[in-house]
Amino acid sequence: MQLASRTQTITPFYVIQVLKQVEALERQGRDVIRLFVGEPDFESPSAIVKTAQHSLQHEAQTYTSSTGIAALKQKIAERYQRWHQLDINPERIIVTPGGSAALQVAFLATLNPGDEVLLPEPGYPCNGNLLAMVNAVGVPVFLDPNHKMALSMENLAAAVSKRSKGLLIASPSNPLGSVMSLQQWQRVADFCKARGIHLFADEIYHGLTFGGLAPSVLQVDDQAWVIQSFSKFYGMTGWRLGWLVAPDSAVDACERIAQNLYLSSPTIAQRAALAGFEEGVEQQCFARRDELQQRRDYLVEVLPTLGLEVMANPDGAFYLYVDISRYSQDSVAFCADVLTETGVAMTPGIDFGGPCPRTSVRIAYTVDVERLKVAVDRLKTYLTLTHATDNR
């Protein structure tokens, strides 16, 4: 019995293959430093956990509205006012089971079979696969490796066709850590409006930026689609909770899609997330951001001394995108060998597409500085011994 043809175009998430390799080594008793998964070593804030425990003990865990608990939607709207001075109608907020579900709702609401969405690369690998699941097509737009992975408006324009229906941009970016300025968002918004295409903004790493809060696309385009998540800033990866800010005209359609796609988001996660907006919890999350900045600063200083150049301006998230061309033209083989020989796990650039996937790797600084120093020492020894000729 044949499977659907879309299954032939959905590519594997290579980081999961790295995870399997890591777990196999750990079962052998190896000490592996995990610098490959997008999940820092912070537990969910205790106030969030305690709120969940209280809810389990004292509240019925019944279905909620398909768009989310009203109190949670209100808190999200208030954060847009507090962080960006934006008045967002809570009715435009659709609470979803994670950021991926938010993107899925947005795609289902806007795209027909054969429609195209422009995807700057390197980028999050699941985006193209989510498009395939709605029978749409992701069109890669390569970022410029010679200019800190800048997005060229000329390249964007060249990628547009009569089937173009959207542009998806992440800020802060995975895997680059780069952040869109307000002026850059304005140029992109003008580009989309001039062509009548949807602007999708992946803002799931908001709050985790090192030069102040990142601008939201909603500051320049009130009708853009915003994908958000509780996973990163609030440390709630396993709770599976996110949200979508939809244009006014699309709210009804998104609600109907949500009703049929997943009925409602996890009740316990929604109630727990309410605690995330408490002042003390938010301060705790910003303190964690400051620790991430210390990790970034250490790596940005030391990696170039090993011949590993950082390819973008990593002003947010917790990733560095690193050029390994001095040592290898095969990022998959390079990462596999480094993992086997040193116990340092990184993600090969092949997972993220773009102009140089085989000569780049993503490093996630998801362990503390002392642990990062151990990783750097291991990498230094490996590169010196294995690539002595290249290091002369």
Side-chain angles (χ1 to χ4, degrees):
M1 192 173 294
Q2 275 193 326
L3 297 175
S5 58
R6 72 174 63 87
T7 63
Q8 303 303 311
T9 61
I10 296 172
T11 57
F13 198 0
Y14 196 85
V15 73
I16 302 302
Q17 304 304 314
V18 178
L19 176 60
K20 293 177 181 178
Q21 297 166 13
V22 166
E23 290 177 338
L25 288 175
E26 289 175 337
R27 284 194 297 270
Q28 298 169 18
R30 291 285 302 278
D31 174 39
V32 177
I33 302 177
R34 294 177 169 226
L35 305 182
F36 70 104
V37 177
E39 184 174 39
D41 54 332
F42 304 131
E43 296 181 354
S44 300
S46 59
I48 290 175
V49 176
K50 290 177 181 177
T51 300
Q53 292 170 335
H54 180 273
S55 179
L56 283 172
Q57 292 171 353
H58 301 287
E59 298 175 296
Q61 302 304 307
T62 55
Y63 293 130
T64 71
S65 164
S66 293
T67 64
I69 294 173
L72 182 58
K73 290 152 61 84
Q74 181 62 40
K75 288 293 185 182
I76 294 170
E78 290 171 1
R79 199 187 88 165
Y80 280 102
Q81 176 60 50
R82 189 169 66 253
W83 286 19
H84 304 293
Q85 295 73 57
L86 291 171
D87 292 319
I88 303 296
N89 183 348
E91 294 302 312
R92 292 178 57 193
I93 297 168
I94 316 292
V95 179
T96 60
S100 295
L103 190 57
Q104 194 170 17
V105 170
F107 285 164
L108 286 167
T110 55
L111 303 175
N112 292 312
D115 286 347
E116 296 178 349
V117 175
L118 308 181
L119 300 176
E121 289 188 358
Y124 183 57
C126 294
N127 293 334
N129 290 330
L130 286 175
L131 287 168
M133 291 179 193
V134 297
N135 298 319
V137 180
V139 178
V141 180
F142 288 175
L143 302 177
D144 188 348
N146 298 313
H147 293 89
K148 290 290 186 179
M149 289 295 179
L151 175 62
S152 162
M153 301 306 293
E154 290 77 14
N155 287 353
L156 271 183
V160 172
S161 77
K162 63 181 181 180
R163 295 181 297 278
S164 299
K165 292 296 173 64
L167 165 63
L168 172 59
I169 292 183
S171 176
S173 161
N174 174 12
L176 303 175
S178 55
V179 178
M180 294 278 287
S181 69
L182 199 61
Q183 293 74 22
Q184 288 171 321
W185 272 132
Q186 186 66 67
R187 285 196 292 272
V188 167
D190 291 344
F191 174 92
C192 290
K193 288 177 181 177
R195 291 159 178 81
I197 64 177
H198 296 283
L199 176 53
F200 305 103
D202 174 349
E203 298 185 352
I204 72 170
Y205 292 94
H206 265 220
L208 299 179
T209 49
F210 310 131
L213 291 170
S216 172
V217 68
L218 295 171
Q219 292 174 250
V220 300
D221 183 358
D222 183 61
Q223 297 302 299
W225 298 77
V226 173
I227 291 84
Q228 256 287 10
S229 175
F230 285 90
S231 291
K232 309 304 181 180
F233 181 71
Y234 297 104
M236 296 180 67
T237 50
W239 299 77
R240 305 315 307 135
L241 196 66
W243 74 85
L244 171 70
V245 182
D248 295 295
S249 60
V251 169
D252 176 68
C254 289
E255 182 172 4
R256 286 183 278 115
I257 291 168
Q259 288 169 353
N260 288 276
L261 187 62
Y262 51 79
L263 189 59
S264 64
S265 296
T267 303
I268 187 64
Q270 292 188 69
R271 288 178 176 154
L274 287 167
F277 299 94
E278 296 174 2
E279 183 177 358
V281 178
E282 190 167 282
Q283 289 174 351
Q284 180 183 1
C285 293
F286 280 126
R288 293 176 171 186
R289 173 207 59 190
D290 295 341
E291 183 174 340
L292 289 173
Q293 182 172 356
Q294 294 173 13
R295 300 175 184 184
R296 179 207 62 170
D297 291 348
Y298 167 71
L299 288 176
V300 166
E301 180 179 356
V302 73
L303 287 179
T305 68
L306 306 183
L308 300 172
E309 297 295 332
V310 178
M311 300 180 67
N313 294 318
D315 296 323
F318 34 78
Y319 306 113
L320 299 178
Y321 202 63
V322 177
D323 179 11
I324 61 164
S325 61
R326 179 173 177 177
Y327 302 107
S328 177
Q329 300 295 309
D330 186 343
S331 60
V332 175
F334 178 83
C335 286
D337 196 47
V338 168
L339 176 58
T340 301
E341 297 297 324
T342 74
V344 176
M346 304 176 290
T347 307
I350 195 171
D351 227 4
F352 310 103
C356 47
R358 293 197 171 274
T359 56
S360 57
V361 301
R362 186 190 74 176
I363 295 176
Y365 41 96
T366 49
V367 298
D368 62 34
V369 171
E370 292 307 310
R371 194 77 166 137
L372 289 175
K373 289 179 179 179
V374 175
V376 168
D377 286 343
R378 293 182 186 180
L379 283 172
K380 182 177 181 180
T381 300
Y382 169 83
L383 295 173
T384 300
L385 294 177
T386 312
H387 301 276
T389 303
D390 298 309
N391 271 331
R392 66 184 182 275

